[in-house]
Amino acid sequence: MKIAFIGLGNMGGGMAANLVKAGHEVRAFDLAEAALELARQNGCATFATAREALQGVEAVVSMLPNGKIVDSVYLADVIGVAPQSAVLLDCSTIDVATARKVAEAAGAAGYEMVDAPVSGGIAAANAGTLTFMVGGSEAGFARTEPILARMGKAVIHAGGSGAGQAAKICNNMALGIHMIGTCEAFAMAQKLGLDPQKFYDIISVSSGQSWSVTSYCPVPGAGPQSPADNDYKPGFAAALMLKDLTLAMEAAETAGVDAEMGKRARELYQAWVDAGNGAVDFSGIIRTL
Ligand code: NAD
């Protein structure tokens, strides 16, 4: 299949490489020359503009920083430029309203478009083990699932347009809350004289267990290897967690939901990022406790 890929950064670079490995012809575009150089090394053809990359493609995949950029790339460079038969997949994490607006504009111009944000970080993008949450029609899901399956371990149809983004921010709101709770529990256990590994052995098989405990333990030396064992190098940077919690709080306001814990988690990450920790892994927030 001929696929255009727009946005080959930390995540998109590995995802595009996996499409090449799956036998697709990948036509790449990014504003950064370094990203294009890496894409070439991974077997993509690269182009100086999005418009050139879109020539004759059957699908367009994007992995861009935010909703404003997704909006401008699709409205200015993709819709009306890509062949109308091409299916459009935006994998970026963006707000639900923009995802729906762009998909509507694509639909009005005769395209099928889905939002397909991911769970999993850079390592999962490189390994092809992401989880995709897809928002769009049944037909859109059927067309995009085989493409997404080459970049992930799970592809789930969340519902109509925007449902993928809704699932993503609800998941990450829970993650932010769990991580802070896990950090508080480990910090308190230590103050109460418990050995961190001993506490890990107990909580990991007790009702306080969560992904933050067993896959991403925030204490060095306890549990499996995690960013805590690598001086909190990401992993998943605190700035990205803050981005997702901010999107979650915007969605909560729109939906009239009083998400007290989500609000507090956002405040704590905001303060920690403002203190200069945006590039630190999000589990490093334990250092403040
Ligand atoms: P990144 O900044 O590394 O990559 C974004 C790429 O988009 C860059 O190479 C940039 O040059 C390019 N770009 C920006 N504007 C462009 C434009 N107008 N046209 C073409 N290219 C453009 O970011 P990332 O870490 O790869 O994240 C991408 C998306 O994935 C974000 O929405 C992020 O929230 C989401 N995400 C990231 C992670 C993670 O762990 N990094 C995990 C899950 C989801």
Side-chain angles (χ1 to χ4, degrees):
M1 204 177 196
K2 226 182 212 190
I3 301 176
F5 205 113
I6 306 177
L8 297 105
N10 287 324
M11 296 292 289
M15 292 163 69
N18 284 322
L19 290 178
V20 172
K21 278 185 209 150
H24 294 300
E25 180 185 336
V26 178
R27 298 167 64 87
F29 172 66
D30 193 292
L31 293 179
E33 181 48 41
L36 290 177
E37 175 53 35
L38 198 63
R40 277 192 289 275
Q41 286 170 20
N42 287 328
C44 301
T46 61
F47 296 88
T49 64
R51 285 172 177 259
E52 289 170 76
L54 294 170
Q55 296 300 312
V57 298
E58 298 157 87
V60 179
V61 182
S62 55
M63 194 53 163
L64 293 161
N66 59 49
K68 215 170 145 195
I69 293 175
V70 169
D71 187 298
S72 78
V73 165
Y74 275 88
L75 294 187
D77 290 330
V78 178
I79 296 171
V81 177
Q84 216 180 47
S85 54
V87 67
L88 314 180
L89 306 84
D90 179 42
C91 298
S92 328
T93 302
I94 67 170
D95 60 287
V96 176
T98 301
R100 288 189 176 142
K101 178 192 158 204
V102 174
E104 243 170 62
Y111 296 90
E112 188 82 62
M113 178 166 189
V114 301
D115 49 292
V118 308
S119 179
I122 301 161
N126 290 333
T129 56
L130 294 166
T131 293
F132 289 92
M133 309 156 210
V134 185
S137 68
E138 288 288 350
F141 180 71
R143 285 180 73 188
T144 53
E145 196 270 344
I147 301 169
L148 297 171
R150 309 313 295 253
M151 301 185 284
K153 65 172 172 12
V155 185
I156 299 163
H157 191 192
S161 181
Q165 298 295 351
K168 162 79 186 176
I169 54 171
C170 290
N171 178 77
N172 277 28
M173 182 177 80
L175 172 62
I177 294 167
H178 289 168
M179 180 51 82
I180 291 170
T182 300
C183 289
E184 283 188 355
F186 272 90
M188 189 158 120
Q190 230 164 333
K191 288 270 183 204
L192 292 170
L194 279 162
D195 170 66
Q197 179 61 43
K198 190 58 77 186
F199 181 56
Y200 174 86
D201 292 342
I202 294 165
I203 190 173
S204 63
V205 293
S206 300
S207 47
Q209 185 271 346
S210 70
W211 185 88
S212 296
V213 172
T214 48
S215 295
Y216 219 91
C217 186
V219 178
Q225 189 77 15
S226 70
D229 299 305
N230 192 22
D231 201 26
Y232 298 100
K233 290 201 176 64
F236 186 51
L240 286 173
M241 173 49 84
L242 178 60
K243 172 192 169 184
D244 292 357
L245 285 169
T246 303
L247 289 174
M249 289 308 97
E250 284 168 13
E253 201 175 320
T254 309
V257 174
D258 200 9
E260 282 300 323
M261 298 297 287
K263 221 181 278 173
R264 186 70 189 124
R266 203 197 80 80
E267 283 168 8
L268 291 171
Y269 275 107
Q270 180 77 64
W272 197 54
V273 167
D274 287 348
N277 298 298
V280 179
D281 187 78
F282 83 116
S283 63
I285 200 163
I286 195 169
R287 286 171 164 167
T288 65
L289 301 171

